[in-house]
Amino acid sequence: MTNYDKKEVIAKRVAKELKDGDLINLGIGLPTMVVNYIDKDLDIIFQSENGIIGIKSLEEGEAEDKCIVNAGGQPVSVEAGGAFIDSEMSFSIIRGGHIDATVLGALQVDEEGSIANWLVPGKIAPGMGGAMDLIMGAKRVIVAMEHTLKGTAKILKKCTLPLTAYKQVDLIVTEMAVIQVTEKGLMLREINSRYTIDDVINNTEASLIIPEKVGSFE
């Protein structure tokens, strides 16, 4: 699969985790694609940490407004009834525990559900953004990322990069697998039908709990 195909597969699978009535925050990059795969019958509200409630993708042919962008600076639109709020209100919603789930990318996730997603030592970083607030404030934390980086595992026994949060991830979705973080470790919940369980194990440094029945997705 090309990088775009992988991202599309991940975003499509993450969309199935979101429920009717949810207030969801999508991180920058791959997570912003999730909005494109939401079931039209579901009433899901997307919040952008830069101050928009009711964010949506631009419709085909819809003109861009440079003043309306998501947290990653991409042009977006707003649902009817949506709202623009200031940073104080936005982070009050996040820190107050009102976000049902946040979907974030990651550089590394480990067996305990710790996540590193903001800094690569030696490289310039603009800062951690709202990631720490979102991970600690959201009721559920879903990591959406490619399974490896140029063949190197990103799901590790222990994160080696500076942590964003300790033991806060609930679910990991990659192009290869859906992995649940449990008290006993990482449980393989589903695999992409293009891969095998051995493929997932061989590309994961962390130990995986393999249940008797593993689901599949495409």
Side-chain angles (χ1 to χ4, degrees):
M1 285 188 283
T2 64
N3 283 342
Y4 182 78
D5 289 335
K6 291 178 182 179
K7 291 177 181 178
E8 188 176 70
V9 166
I10 296 165
K12 191 179 296 185
R13 179 59 190 80
V14 169
K16 293 180 180 179
E17 292 292 320
L18 310 185
K19 301 175 182 177
D20 194 53
D22 278 351
L23 176 61
I24 303 294
N25 177 280
L26 299 177
I28 63 174
L30 191 163
T32 62
M33 297 173 63
V34 172
V35 71
N36 299 326
Y37 301 101
I38 297 298
D39 187 327
K40 301 300 181 184
D41 293 330
L42 297 181
D43 181 18
I44 295 175
I45 300 172
F46 291 97
Q47 183 258 6
S48 184
E49 68 195 67
N50 60 319
I52 303 175
I53 297 177
I55 200 168
K56 68 174 184 176
S57 298
L58 288 170
E59 301 288 344
E60 187 174 347
E62 185 178 356
E64 295 181 3
D65 184 333
K66 294 182 179 179
C67 292
I68 304 177
V69 297
N70 63 22
Q74 299 169 312
V76 292
S77 186
V78 181
E79 298 278 5
F84 296 94
I85 56 178
D86 64 15
S87 184
E88 181 180 355
M89 178 60 73
S90 181
F91 278 86
S92 292
I93 291 170
I94 293 167
R95 294 169 182 167
H98 304 291
I99 301 294
D100 291 296
T102 183
V103 182
L104 299 162
L107 297 167
Q108 296 176 342
V109 183
D110 68 24
E111 287 182 342
E112 297 180 309
S114 296
I115 177 174
N117 80 339
W118 72 279
L119 179 66
V120 177
K123 292 191 176 182
I124 296 175
M128 72 287 292
M132 292 181 180
D133 297 276
L134 284 163
I135 292 170
M136 298 306 298
K139 296 172 186 174
R140 192 177 186 212
V141 177
I142 301 172
V143 169
M145 67 177 189
E146 292 184 33
H147 206 93
T148 64
L149 177 63
K150 298 179 180 178
T152 300
K154 295 172 67 175
I155 304 174
L156 310 175
K157 291 185 177 298
K158 204 79 171 175
C159 290
T160 59
L161 296 175
L163 292 183
T164 308
Y166 178 61
K167 292 186 177 182
Q168 293 297 315
V169 174
D170 297 295
L171 190 73
I172 306 165
V173 180
T174 75
E175 78 280 8
M176 298 181 75
V178 177
I179 299 170
Q180 190 86 39
V181 181
T182 74
E183 291 183 357
K184 294 181 179 180
L186 300 181
M187 179 176 290
L188 183 60
R189 203 171 98 186
E190 296 177 19
I191 60 169
N192 186 325
S193 57
R194 302 186 188 196
Y195 300 96
T196 66
I197 291 177
D198 282 343
D199 288 332
V200 177
I201 292 172
N202 292 336
N203 284 279
T204 306
E205 181 193 281
S207 298
L208 295 174
I209 300 167
I210 312 296
E212 188 173 320
K213 184 176 180 180
V214 177
S216 67
F217 69 98
E218 296 181 355

